[in-house]
């Protein structure tokens, strides 16, 4: 990915690795197998959709894929909240990974806003 793309792509990749390690922790240490699969799916999907967006056939296609990344980020935040409230994650563990997820959400919101502006007529 180019310029901003490699920055956010690497952030997504790092986040997916954290999510994968969280999945291993939850399944091996906490013996939790339902929520962990959900967060693994949504947390790793964030970057996968961004990778697809890079090869969108148009700006609208790019925007649609980035929106999917944004939605997957919101879903991941939801699962993290459940894991915290269910005491599968400590406050410290939750805060650390939630902060990273929130940062991704803000980046995707910025990208979608800027991309929508470029799609407006007379921009």
């Amino acid at each position: 990915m180019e310029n901003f793309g490699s920055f956010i792509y690497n952030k997504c990749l790092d986040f997916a690795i954290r999510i994968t390690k969280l999945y291993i922790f939850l399944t091996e240490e906490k013996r939790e197998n339902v929520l962990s699969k959900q967060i693994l799916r949504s947390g790793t999907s964030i970057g996968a959709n961004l990778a697809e967006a890079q090869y969108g056939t148009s700006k609208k296609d790019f925007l649609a894929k980035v929106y999917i990344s944004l939605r997957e980020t919101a879903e991941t935040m939801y699962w993290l909240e459940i894991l915290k409230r269910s005491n599968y994650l400590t406050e410290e563990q939750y805060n650390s990974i939630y902060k990273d997820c929130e940062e991704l959400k803000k980046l995707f919101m910025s990208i979608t806003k800027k991309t929508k502006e470029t799609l407006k007529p007379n921009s």
Side-chain angles (χ1 to χ4, degrees):
M1 290 201 157
E2 44 198 65
N3 302 340
F4 88 91
S6 64
F7 171 76
I8 193 167
Y9 178 82
N10 284 322
K11 283 215 163 282
C12 289
L13 198 55
D14 291 344
F15 186 75
I17 291 166
R18 284 194 77 187
I19 289 292
T20 302
K21 289 178 179 179
L22 175 61
Y23 171 79
I24 293 167
F25 166 76
L26 290 169
T27 56
E28 292 181 3
E29 301 290 323
K30 299 289 187 171
R31 303 287 183 227
E32 196 298 311
N33 293 304
V34 177
L35 299 173
S36 57
K37 285 181 184 169
Q38 292 283 27
I39 200 161
L40 178 67
R41 187 197 54 74
S42 65
T44 57
S45 179
I46 296 167
N49 282 290
L50 180 67
E52 279 189 58
Q54 177 187 8
Y55 296 98
T57 56
S58 66
K59 280 191 178 183
K60 285 184 179 181
D61 188 32
F62 170 82
L63 184 60
K65 293 293 184 193
V66 173
Y67 265 122
I68 294 170
S69 289
L70 178 59
R71 289 195 309 264
E72 293 294 336
T73 303
E75 182 181 339
T76 301
M77 294 170 90
Y78 175 80
W79 295 123
L80 287 169
E81 184 72 26
I82 290 175
L83 288 166
K84 181 187 87 171
R85 290 184 182 199
S86 303
N87 296 316
Y88 284 109
L89 294 178
T90 65
E91 191 75 26
E92 184 179 345
Q93 291 167 325
Y94 167 81
N95 287 338
S96 174
I97 198 163
Y98 192 88
K99 184 181 112 198
D100 288 350
C101 197
E102 200 164 40
E103 184 180 352
L104 286 173
K105 182 180 117 184
K106 288 176 184 175
L107 288 167
F108 287 125
M109 289 175 73
S110 175
I111 293 167
T112 56
K113 181 181 177 186
K114 288 176 183 170
T115 304
K116 282 196 303 191
E117 288 172 0
T118 65
L119 292 172
K120 289 180 183 174
N122 303 323
S123 293

